[in-house]
Amino acid sequence: MTEVKVHDKYLVVIPRDVRETLGIKIGETVDFIVEQEKAVIYPKRGDPASVEKLHGIIKHKGAIDEGIEKGYAVMGDESR
């Protein structure tokens, strides 16, 4: 277990060992969920609900890889 201090405006730094274990990168989104009186952090990447919301947004004729690259271009590099 790693202890961290709550700073001004309730900011908390995610410790390096936790970031590395969970693969959290700068700019990613995480969820904090309270489970049985404990805060649990979940990186948000590829959860089924978010994929379902996006299904069908990109219309592309051709190879799936081309469609994915086009989608990344529209969203910007930070989404990778």
Side-chain angles (χ1 to χ4, degrees), residues 27-55:
E28 284 190 308
T29 303
V30 297
D31 281 332
F32 282 91
I33 299 174
V34 177
E35 295 180 351
Q36 299 176 4
E37 298 184 24
K38 296 178 183 176
V40 181
I41 183 172
Y42 290 98
K44 289 194 74 155
R45 46 176 96 97
D47 73 85
S50 66
V51 173
E52 288 175 10
K53 285 187 233 175
L54 297 175
H55 178 72

Side-chain angles (χ1 to χ4, degrees), residues 4-15:
V4 297
K5 181 179 179 180
V6 178
H7 294 274
D8 295 341
K9 299 183 183 180
Y10 298 94
L11 298 175
V12 177
V13 175
I14 301 170

Side-chain angles (χ1 to χ4, degrees), residues 42-76:
Y42 290 98
K44 289 194 74 155
R45 46 176 96 97
D47 73 85
S50 66
V51 173
E52 288 175 10
K53 285 187 233 175
L54 297 175
H55 178 72
I57 287 177
I58 299 172
K59 305 293 184 200
H60 179 76
K61 293 181 183 177
I64 188 72
D65 292 338
E66 294 170 3
I68 291 170
E69 287 303 316
K70 185 176 180 180
Y72 279 133
V74 169
M75 293 185 298

